[in-house]
């Protein structure tokens, strides 16, 4: 075992990351090639990018790659001392390959001054970057050298992109709404939300009003899903509170200082479900399709087929009110099954302040389990699925409590950061109410991030201390997007901080293990087939399930591709795909340590 | 990072070296100095309270002639105040000093256990409760708190003996049974969990919070009917634990927010007079707080003092003219005192300042409808539905307003849709009325009305459905049945003392006796929600 390749860490972690026989240097099985190359096989498979980089044993697991890559963005929250609630709720962030060049680009949500009559000069935290502050699109100009080494560099292309987002931004959702193969962009706002259609020439056009999705109010997280399996991506928008600046209420800490209000001070704003009509417009089908529950203040939304019936369901994380589990009835309607499913409350029956949420098969038993971040004092929650959308709260036995109970979590995701085949957890954190003793500071809500290692026994261990200096930064974490930004076969994380600089957490450890990277596109469209499920069947019969999605986390959009860690085995697995329309196909020759595109109809 | 980054005062005062309890804890590491937090952001009353106590504490703790127990108490008193002020870092420092000076004193480790639980330091919380328990092993409250700490830490095997001992000391303890039930749930021993949780409910049927974990136990055992039954009975309420030491902290802090919080607790428990007292004390400290004024007005209204309540609401509005909740409250007062025009003005103000204020819009729509401004009422219902399509009261109000506007077909269409969307029999009952009694021949359909009513169970039809049943039978020509149902409705109204309603029903009864159908789906006295 090549333990000498690692920094000194606990033996148990080393054992889990480096199984016998895995070296640290480039593996012969990992042949380098240029990113984005097509192999043109008759199986509808496309070699998308390959990695083979040798890693320095001394490097940290994650490093902040933003400065070197010129990914220069800092969020501006417009605070002027009035404690308006939106100031502490944004921003999200998005990964999207808007120019279809095979690498992930980045969209940053931005905000503006909130207090009427105030200018940027009145901001307590000065803006950074182009003025006036608006949402920014950065193009990824990734280059891969012949030895497999990569250089990330980003270019701010906002001004030429046609995206104009001067509002008070909250989040990002991505999906190809017109099946033209170019990913579109939905921006949630405090104010009217915006839909931008990708024209395929590097520019977008604002179709907010025409699409019928420009709901007013306060939307935070949104998710694209094809709930009626008609081949067009529909849209679920999670709305937070009925809050306006005019109706802002003053809230105070126990000792009388001003602070942000708790959500209970305001009423929840109902969520919306928009059905894609296939002509660039959407119908608001909320009242007809979402039957049988009251809405809560939604902060996180994730879609997955929780009961395994082939129809995609929706889970909504609400702030201090019961969460919803909208089970797709297969007839255009959903029923909220959260209460009996054990997914509305903790095991004790408490509604907690759910913020970020993600679904993933962390115990490799073939179903989607739920993880959500909560308020400090509550601890993050793990609801384990028995395969029928019946959940058990295993938050305490999983040992998540001691690690997370002191943090207020927002962006989060299941990620196999070390590619050992088991989904781990990462969350970014930052308080919403200040500790009394820090109220004198201008924005005293910062906390550190968590990285939690899956111990393969339904328990987790916090490994943040070993994960690198970026995990020691105390910031007001909100959005987190997950994806392979440098196409090297491991999951990187883009973090958006409220009132602070963005961080690009480059994974330096995952590609030491073997992996399979998959992009799934449709038969009649080259769009990512959100909702498809992938089973990677290992030689020993063990199966790893993943799904195609961009949703989850908090107000953020993820890489639509799936990356499956294989540990120390370079054996070619069998890949089975269950497409959103229910069709199933199998591939037996998907290459290891490469990104591959699977086209519907190209398997057997 | 709840406990980090405490802004310590520049003049922080290190604990005197001689203050260390070296005689009792020779190997203990030096304690952090007992220093106050940054007080600059605090309201004057709290700052003064802390500084005044600080002077008293300093006098005692700086005088080594004073017995350690007394100095310990002084540190502890400050710790309690800081804990009540949620200054946990500083409170911890004072508690540690108190504990070091009086290691046999149970309060300090006990409070530290709570403090660490609050700050999320679960292991330290359990250790502190263990320390308290070592001082008083038969204290049921400590045992319960210790069990909770272990459960939160994911150590049910350590929690179980604590709950079990608590139960042996207090055989009627709901909290102990609740704890043991959750220990069994954590171990996936669902039958034992159900047994403990059932016992908790037997001991206190009002402990509605028990129903949720009990439902989860039944669900895991495959008994869906029991699970659903308990979910229906569940309410999110804490299982109370008698905790006199923690109660002592509740009333320590003298800040507007603290008084408001106490007042709200009193309101929630129906103790209006106590609530009013708390709010008044809060107003003494913060006379310009519209929120406290509004809450005091609410408490006074509940005490029957409408005039006093109105005065407080008006004062709240003088302080904050855009305070939608206060406009709404004044509107309700006006409405209940028979002043509909003023009520409408107040509800209008409320929704103009807070356009998504659903309750205010509903009240406004109702008031407009009752004032005969039907199109205005309809607009308000439509706006509510636009804001939140799932507000059933707005859907219902919209439908009956359409009836009053004689737009029967529109009402029929809406009610037909609403019946599918909302699982509430009121929509089916309303639909049946329109089908049975609408003056528009194109809308009326007695057979369909009958089908709608037959689809409802007797429970869904409710006691007040006699009039609707009579309309339906009359429409299909079964006047004997109609007369019988209508007579029942008249008698029911008379028994309820609703003589005006009884008179109207009797008039319709005479129609049926003359074998004539009804053509007024609703009377003017029962139209709008």
């Amino acid at each position: 075992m090549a333990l000498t390749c690692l920094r000194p860490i606990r033996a148990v972690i080393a054992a889990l990351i480096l199984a016998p026989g895995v070296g640290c240097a480039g593996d012969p099985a990992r042949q380098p090639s240029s990113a984005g190359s097509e192999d043109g096989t008759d199986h509808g498979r496309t070699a998308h990018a390959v990695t083979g980089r040798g890693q320095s044993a001394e490097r940290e697991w994650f490093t902040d790659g933003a400065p070197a890559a010129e990914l220069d963005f800092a969020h501006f929250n417009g605070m002027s001392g009035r404690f308006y609630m939106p100031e502490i709720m944004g921003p999200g962030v998005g990964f999207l390959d808007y120019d279809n060049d095979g690498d992930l680009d980045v969209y940053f949500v931005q905000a503006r001054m909130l207090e009427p009559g105030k200018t940027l000069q009145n901001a307590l935290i000065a803006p950074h970057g182009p003025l006036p502050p608006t949402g920014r699109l950065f193009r990824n100009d990734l280059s891969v050298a012949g030895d497999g080494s990569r250089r990330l560099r980003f270019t701010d292309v906002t001004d030429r992109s046609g995206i104009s987002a001067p509002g008070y931004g909250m989040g990002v959702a991505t999906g190809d709404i017109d099946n033209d193969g170019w990913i579109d962009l939905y921006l949630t706002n405090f104010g009217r939300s915006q839909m931008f259609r990708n024209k395929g020439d590097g520019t977008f056009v604002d179709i907010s009003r025409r699409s019928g999705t420009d709901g007013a109010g306060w939307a935070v997280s949104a998710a694209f899903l094809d709930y009626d399996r008609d081949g067009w991506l529909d849209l679920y928008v999670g709305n937070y509170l009925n809050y306006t600046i005019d109706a802002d209420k003053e809230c105070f800490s126990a000792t009388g200082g001003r602070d942000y209000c708790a959500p209970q001070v305001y009423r929840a704003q109902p969520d919306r479900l928009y059905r894609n009509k296939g002509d660039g417009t959407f119908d608001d089908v909320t009242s007809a399709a979402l039957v049988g529950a009251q809405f809560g203040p939604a902060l996180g939304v994730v879609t997955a087929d929780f009961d395994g019936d082939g129809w995609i369901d929706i889970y909504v994380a609400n702030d201090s009110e019961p969460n919803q589990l909208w089970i797709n009835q297969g007839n255009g309607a959903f029923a909220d099954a959260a209460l009996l499913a054990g997914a509305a409350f903790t095991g004790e029956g408490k509604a907690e302040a759910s913020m970020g949420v993600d679904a993933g098969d962390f115990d490799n038993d073939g179903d989607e389990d739920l993880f959500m971040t909560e308020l400090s004092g509550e601890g993050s929650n793990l609801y384990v699925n028995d395969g029928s959308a019946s959940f058990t709260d295993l938050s305490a036995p999983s040992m998540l409590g001691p690690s997370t109970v002191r943090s207020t979590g927002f962006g989060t995701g299941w990620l196999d950061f070390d590619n050992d085949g088991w989904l781990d957890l990462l969350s970014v954190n930052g308080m919403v109410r200040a500790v009394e003793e820090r109220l004198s500071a201008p924005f005293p809500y910062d906390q550190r991030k968590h990285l939690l290692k899956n111990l393969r026994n339904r328990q987790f261990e916090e490994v943040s201390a070993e994960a690198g200096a970026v995990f020691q930064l105390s910031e007001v974490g909100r959005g987190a997007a997950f994806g392979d930004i440098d196409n090297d076969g491991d999951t990187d994380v883009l973090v958006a901080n409220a009132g602070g600089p963005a961080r690009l957490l480059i994974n330096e450890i995952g590609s030491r293990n073997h992996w399979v990277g998959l992009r799934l596109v449709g038969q009649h469209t080259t769009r990512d087939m959100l909702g498809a499920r992938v089973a990677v069947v290992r030689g020993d019969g063990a199966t790893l399930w993943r799904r195609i999605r961009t949703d989850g986390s908090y107000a953020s959009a993820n890489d639509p591709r799936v990356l499956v860690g294989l540990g120390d085995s370079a054996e070619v697995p069998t890949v089975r795909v269950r497409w959103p329309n229910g069709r199933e196909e199998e591939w037996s020759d998907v290459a290891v340590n490469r990104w591959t595109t699977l086209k519907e109809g190209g398997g057997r | 990072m709840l406990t980090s980054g405490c802004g310590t005062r520049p003049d922080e005062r290190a604990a005197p070296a001689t203050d260390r309890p070296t005689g009792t804890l020779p190997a203990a590491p030096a304690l952090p100095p007992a220093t106050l937090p940054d007080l600059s952001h605090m309201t004057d009353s709290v700052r003064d309270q802390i500084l005044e106590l600080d002077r008293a504490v300093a006098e005692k703790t700086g005088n080594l002639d004073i017995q350690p127990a007394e100095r310990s108490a002084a540190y502890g008193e400050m710790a309690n105040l800081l804990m009540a002020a949620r200054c946990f870092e500083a409170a911890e420092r004072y508690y540690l000093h108190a504990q070091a000076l009086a290691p046999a004193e149970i309060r300090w480790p006990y409070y530290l256990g709570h403090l660490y639980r609050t700050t999320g330091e679960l292991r330290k919380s359990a250790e502190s409760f263990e320390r308290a328990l070592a001082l008083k092993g038969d204290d049921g409250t400590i045992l319960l708190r210790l069990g909770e700490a272990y459960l939160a830490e994911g150590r049910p095997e350590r929690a179980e003996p604590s709950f079990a001992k608590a139960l042996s000391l207090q055989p009627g303890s709901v909290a102990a049974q609740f704890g043991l039930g959750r220990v069994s749930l954590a171990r996936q021993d669902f039958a034992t969990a159900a047994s403990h949780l059932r016992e908790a409910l037997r001991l206190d049927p009002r402990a509605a919070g028990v129903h949720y974990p009990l439902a989860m136990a039944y669900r895991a055992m495959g008994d869906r009917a029991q699970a659903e039954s308990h979910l229906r009975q569940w309410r999110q309420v804490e299982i109370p634990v008698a905790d006199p030491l923690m109660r002592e902290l509740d009333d320590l802090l003298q800040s507007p927010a603290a008084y408001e919080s106490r007042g709200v607790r009193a309101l929630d428990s129906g103790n209006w007079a106590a609530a009013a007292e708390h709010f008044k004390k809060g107003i003494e400290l913060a006379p310009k707080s519209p929120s406290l004024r509004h809450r005091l007005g609410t408490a006074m209204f509940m005490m029957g003092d409408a005039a006093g309540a109105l005065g407080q609401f008006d004062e709240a509005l003088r302080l904050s003219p855009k305070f939608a909740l206060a406009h709404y409250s004044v509107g309700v007062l006006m409405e209940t005192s028979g002043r509909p025009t003023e009520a409408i003005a107040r509800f209008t103000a409320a929704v103009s300042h807070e356009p998504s204020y659903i309750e205010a819009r509903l009240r406004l729509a109702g008031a407009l409808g009752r004032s005969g401004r039907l199109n205005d009422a309809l607009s308000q219902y439509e706006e509510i539905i636009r804001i939140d399509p799932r507000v059933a009261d707005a859907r219902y109000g919209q439908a009956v307003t359409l009836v009053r506007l004689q737009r029967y077909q529109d009402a029929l269409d809406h009610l037909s849709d609403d019946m599918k969307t909302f699982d509430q029999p009121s929509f089916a009952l309303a639909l049946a009325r329109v089908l049975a009694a609408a003056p528009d021949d194109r809308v009326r359909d007695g057979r369909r009305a009958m089908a709608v009513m037959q689809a409802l169970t007797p429970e869904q039809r409710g006691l007040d459905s006699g009039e609707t049943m009579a309309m339906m039978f009359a429409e299909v020509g079964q006047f004997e049945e109609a007369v019988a149902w209508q007579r029942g409705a008249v008698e029911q109204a008379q028994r309820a003392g609703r003589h005006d309603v009884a008179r109207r029903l009797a008039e319709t009864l005479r129609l049926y006796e003359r074998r004539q159908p009804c053509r007024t789906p609703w009377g003017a006295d029962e139209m709008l929600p």
Side-chain angles (χ1 to χ4, degrees), chain A residues 192 216 241-244 246-247 249-250 252-258 265-272 284 286-295 320-322 326 338-352 376-377 384 389-399 401-403 405-408 431 433-441 445-448 458-459 474, chain B residues 1-8 37-44 46 50 84-91 93 117-123 148 151-155 178 182 185-186 188 190 209 212-213 215-216 219 224 227-228 231-232 234-236 238 253 255-258 260 289-291 322-325 352-359 385-390 395 420-423:
Chain A
R192 287 201 174 276
L241 297 171
N242 269 320
Y243 172 94
T244 62
D246 275 353
K249 297 177 172 67
E250 290 189 344
F252 300 89
S253 72
T255 57
R258 277 295 304 273
V265 172
Y266 302 94
R267 280 173 294 279
Q269 184 188 350
D271 298 348
R272 300 285 173 175
D284 183 344
T286 310
S287 59
L290 303 178
V291 180
Q294 296 299 311
F295 291 105
S320 304
E321 289 190 24
W326 293 105
L339 191 58
L340 187 60
F345 302 99
T346 66
E348 290 180 29
K350 286 183 183 167
E352 294 195 334
S376 63
V384 180
S390 184
F391 293 85
T392 302
D393 179 359
L394 293 187
S395 311
S398 68
M399 307 310 290
S403 299
V405 73
R406 300 178 72 185
S407 300
T408 294
M431 290 175 288
R433 303 202 78 187
V435 174
E436 283 285 346
E437 291 147 304
R438 300 183 64 204
L439 269 171
S440 301
Y445 304 95
D446 52 287
Q447 293 182 312
R448 291 177 183 157
R458 292 189 167 183
Q459 291 195 337
S474 189
Chain B
M1 211 175 59
L2 265 169
T3 57
S4 66
C6 172
T8 307
D38 179 0
L39 309 179
S40 62
H41 68 278
M42 295 181 181
T43 193
D44 291 348
V46 175
I50 292 175
R86 304 185 67 78
C87 294
F88 299 116
E89 256 191 39
R93 295 193 290 266
R117 183 86 165 84
T118 305
T119 58
E121 295 167 278
L122 302 178
R123 181 60 54 93
E148 294 289 343
L151 261 185
E153 215 188 339
R155 296 202 284 173
F178 185 60
R182 284 178 299 135
L185 269 181
Q188 307 204 4
F190 301 111
Y212 186 86
M216 294 297 108
R219 188 194 62 162
R224 186 182 170 114
E228 289 181 339
L231 285 175
R232 281 193 293 275
W234 169 78
R235 299 287 177 276
Q236 190 171 330
E238 296 262 335
L253 203 61
S255 76
E260 187 164 4
S289 166
S291 172
K322 293 181 179 177
F323 192 3
L325 187 58
S352 70
H353 296 307
E354 194 173 332
S356 58
Y357 194 165
I358 300 287
E359 292 85 349
I385 292 165
R386 191 193 65 74
I387 294 168
D388 186 346
R390 299 178 41 77
R395 298 274 188 179
K420 295 175 203 157
T421 304
F422 299 99
D423 185 23

Side-chain angles (χ1 to χ4, degrees), chain A residues 267-279:
Chain A
R267 280 173 294 279
Q269 184 188 350
D271 298 348
R272 300 285 173 175
L273 179 64
Y274 297 104
R275 181 178 171 274
N276 190 336
K277 294 160 70 177
D279 60 358

Side-chain angles (χ1 to χ4, degrees), chain A residues 92-223:
Chain A
V93 68
F95 276 147
L96 72 165
D97 182 7
Y98 83 96
D99 51 3
N100 273 341
D101 67 348
D103 55 41
L104 292 169
D105 310 296
V106 167
Y107 183 83
F108 287 114
V109 171
Q110 188 54 291
R112 58 172 171 77
M113 292 299 290
L114 274 176
E115 188 174 353
K118 297 289 184 183
T119 67
L120 294 175
Q121 284 69 39
N122 301 115
L124 295 183
I125 300 175
H128 166 90
L131 298 177
T134 62
R136 311 301 297 180
L137 179 67
F138 283 78
R139 188 185 65 222
N140 185 351
D141 297 325
L142 172 70
S143 59
V144 184
D147 64 354
S149 62
R150 279 131 218 281
R151 180 165 181 267
L152 274 170
R153 196 174 69 84
F154 288 89
T155 305
D156 186 338
V157 295
T158 313
D159 294 342
R160 70 186 97 147
S161 71
I163 295 173
S164 174
Y168 202 96
M170 281 288 135
V172 193
T174 57
D176 179 2
I177 62 166
D178 49 5
N179 287 340
D180 65 352
W182 297 91
I183 196 157
D184 306 300
L185 190 62
Y186 187 71
L187 304 179
T188 58
N189 286 320
F190 173 61
R192 287 201 174 276
S193 293
Q194 293 176 286
M195 178 80 84
F196 288 95
R197 187 176 70 78
N198 189 334
K199 294 165 69 179
D201 60 358
T203 68
F204 291 78
V205 60
D206 188 339
I207 59 165
S208 309
R209 178 163 293 186
R210 192 176 78 80
S211 69
T213 59
D214 62 335
W218 188 354
V220 177
S221 285

Side-chain angles (χ1 to χ4, degrees), chain A residues 500-524:
Chain A
R503 307 284 176 192
L504 178 59
L505 276 56
I506 297 292
N507 188 333
E508 309 283 5
I509 187 173
S511 57
R512 297 181 201 179
N513 270 330
H514 296 285
W515 54 280
V516 166
L518 301 168
R519 183 179 180 217
L520 271 64
V521 299
Q523 186 167 20
H524 305 295

